[in-house]
Structure formats: structure tokens, C-alpha cells
Amino acid sequence: MALTTEMSWLCKMIRDKSGIVLGEDKLYLLESRLNPVAEKNGFRTIGDLIIALRKVEWSPLHYSVIDAMTTNETYFFRDIAPFDALRDKLIPDIMKKRAGEKRLHMWCGAASTGQEPYSIMMTLREHFPSLQTWDVKLLATDISTKVLTRCRAARYSQQEVERGLPPASLNRFFTKVGNEWEAKESIRAGIEFRELNLLDSWFNLGRFDIVFMRNVLIYFDVEVKRMLFGKIRKVLSPDGYLLLGGAESPLNIDNNFVRFPFDRGGIYRLLAPAESPSVDPKSDRYPVVK
């Protein structure tokens, strides 16, 4: 698909409304994902769809386009290393720091169809039973109402539960309902699913001890990433942790973060004013504080 004037406008609209950047190498996604949107809404071609989009600043049609362009690839305990870190390092540290107030608040900023937030809650329920008496909350957000509907339903196919979910966890935390598996209340309780475009205001989100922002920043350009890191700094507790995807890093974007020294997994924390970071030779020269 050639980058015509109309397609350039469409790419800019998608970037402005969602932050998603579509280079010329990704234009094929416009055709594969937007042809069904055009057909569903009675348009012959994507060109006709664009004409309708340009008539108004924002409409349900615009939302349908943004929703179609979001990537919802996910699975249970994806990349496993972040969940090992959560179990072995991060939760024990936060529990020690918050022993007096007994409060643990987390945010999953790209919930997709729910596998990541439910994986987080399974980790807590299985390894930290004492948290049952704590104020534990997990906010799980996504730009797509379609995937949030699936999150709240908490039902997964046999193929989906076979992607990363250990059989013991499946039997403990899920119930078979027809041909699907439904998450039990033991891991559903404490999760709030909410629609959120990361480009919009975070004013009412609160403050978090742990932020999962994994495998979403890769779709944004440097300008949007810099803006998002700035917003993360405002909602992350000074002694909290930020977890990113393996291909994501604040390097050369925001020097207010330092890498947490865990062998695997993109884990970062805020640089304290008195700290002077050194260079870790194992982390692509990313600053680290021991």
C-alpha cells in the first residue's frame, strides 16, 4: 500500500489520537485491519472510510479505527522473568517498606485481554498469602473497550490457557465452563479494569508501588515516549518499580530512571537525588545503582 496523501492523514490521525506510529513498513496493517472496519460500517474502500473520518474531529468511527490498530498480543506469564522478579525481589521489598501501612497498589498500563493482570494476581495469591490482610489493588487499563470486555469476562480458550499458564495454576485459579476456562474470584478480586488512552490525563490514577508498562512503548515515537516517562514519574512511588518490555528502555529518553539489577527483565526505579549512577556493562551501558 502506497503512502498517499490520504494515508498520510490517516497515519497522523492515529498517531495524534493514540500515539501509535505507523511507518511505511507497517502500512500493510492499515489494509488488513481497516478493511473489516470499512466493510462493517458500509464503506466500499478504506479511501471512503477516510473521507468519512475527515468530516468530523472525533466520532465512534474514529474510535473503531484506533481500536482496530491496537496490537493485543499477550499470554500468561509472558517472558516469565518479570514475574520471577516480582516474586523474588520486588514484592518482598515493597512488603518490607510498607509493613506499617500494609498497602500495595499496582498498575498494568496495557492490560490487553487480561493475561498479564491475572498473572500478577496469581503470583501474589500463590507466593504471598499474608497479603490477604493488606490493601492490595491492581488497576488494569487499556485503550480498547473490546479487550476490556474480555478482561472482565475472564474467560479463555484452551489454546490461550496453554500459552504460558502452568497446569497447576490452571487447576487452582480457573474453572472449566463449557469449552472455556474462567478465572476464579480469588484472582479477580482486587483488579479494577478501566478504559484509558495513555495520551489522556492520568490525574485520577493515584500513586503506585509497581507499574507494568510492558510491550506498549515500542509502538510510540521518542516524543511520546518522553512524555509518557514524565507521566510515569508522577504516578510511581519514589521507591517503586517500573517494568518495561525487553525491547523498551528509558535510555537516552529520560535520565530520571536507573535499571534495577536483576539478571533478566527490564526493571527500573527512580533515581534518588543523592544517587550517582554507574555504568552496568551487562545492560547496554544503561546506568545502574547497586
Side-chain angles (χ1 to χ4, degrees):
M1 177 180 290
L3 186 59
T4 63
T5 301
E6 293 298 306
M7 287 300 172
S8 294
W9 178 90
L10 182 60
C11 290
K12 183 178 184 303
M13 185 277 290
I14 292 170
R15 192 270 186 193
D16 291 345
K17 300 295 185 182
S18 69
I20 298 172
V21 176
L22 295 167
E24 291 194 40
D25 59 329
K26 296 290 177 62
L27 291 182
Y28 70 94
L29 290 175
L30 290 173
E31 186 170 12
S32 62
R33 296 186 182 184
L34 295 188
N35 271 328
V37 175
E39 183 178 350
K40 181 179 179 180
N41 287 276
F43 299 104
R44 282 191 315 106
T45 66
I46 294 178
D48 293 337
L49 171 66
I50 295 173
I51 291 172
L53 290 170
R54 299 190 71 163
K55 289 181 179 179
V56 293
E57 183 176 351
W58 184 252
S59 70
L61 186 60
H62 288 76
Y63 184 87
S64 296
V65 169
I66 299 299
D67 191 44
M69 295 310 302
T70 57
T71 299
N72 298 308
E73 167 65 14
T74 187
Y75 51 89
F76 290 102
F77 296 100
R78 184 177 182 179
D79 304 327
I80 199 60
F83 301 97
D84 289 344
L86 196 67
R87 179 194 64 215
D88 298 339
K89 298 286 186 179
L90 309 188
I91 295 298
D93 180 59
I94 294 295
M95 290 182 69
K96 183 178 179 180
K97 293 173 179 175
R98 307 287 189 269
E101 55 190 307
K102 292 188 174 183
R103 170 193 179 277
L104 172 61
H105 288 187
M106 301 170 289
W107 176 28
C108 176
S112 188
T113 47
Q115 285 92 325
E116 181 166 87
Y118 287 124
S119 295
I120 295 169
M121 293 306 292
M122 280 187 275
T123 301
L124 300 190
R125 298 295 182 241
E126 185 169 358
H127 299 287
F128 304 97
S130 62
L131 286 176
Q132 295 282 2
T133 62
W134 283 46
D135 172 22
V136 177
K137 294 180 181 177
L138 172 58
L139 175 65
T141 65
D142 201 278
I143 191 174
S144 171
T145 57
K146 180 173 63 178
V147 299
L148 288 172
T149 298
R150 288 210 59 206
C151 286
R152 297 185 181 102
R155 287 195 176 190
Y156 299 94
S157 67
Q158 185 67 39
Q159 181 181 13
E160 287 173 319
V161 298
E162 287 176 353
R163 292 193 70 193
L165 186 59
S169 298
L170 176 62
N171 292 326
R172 179 177 178 181
F173 295 111
F174 289 79
T175 302
K176 190 72 179 293
V177 180
N179 294 324
E180 297 180 308
W181 292 87
E182 183 176 278
K184 294 180 180 179
E185 186 63 20
S186 59
I187 61 170
R188 297 175 73 161
I191 305 180
E192 176 192 356
F193 291 105
R194 190 191 305 177
E195 181 183 347
L196 177 69
N197 183 335
L198 293 176
L199 270 60
D200 292 342
S201 171
W202 298 5
F203 178 74
N204 293 320
L205 289 189
R207 183 65 69 97
F208 302 98
D209 305 297
I210 299 174
V211 172
F212 279 73
M213 195 66 67
R214 303 177 61 233
N215 305 305
V216 62
L217 298 180
I218 54 175
Y219 299 105
F220 303 143
D221 60 24
V222 172
E223 180 183 349
V224 173
K225 289 177 184 177
R226 184 173 291 111
M227 178 266 290
L228 292 178
F229 279 123
K231 294 170 77 170
I232 290 170
R233 284 190 274 112
K234 294 179 181 179
V235 300
L236 182 65
S237 295
D239 57 356
Y241 297 98
L242 168 65
L243 288 84
L244 302 177
E248 299 166 328
S249 167
L251 182 62
N252 297 324
I253 300 175
D254 192 321
N255 60 7
N256 293 284
F257 292 89
V258 290
R259 194 183 68 84
F260 180 75
F262 190 76
D263 287 343
R264 299 163 296 137
I267 306 170
Y268 301 86
R269 66 177 180 82
L270 289 171
L271 178 66
E275 289 180 320
S276 178
S278 58
V279 171
D280 179 6
K282 294 182 179 180
S283 62
D284 195 24
R285 300 189 63 79
Y286 194 84
V288 60
V289 176
K290 301 291 186 182

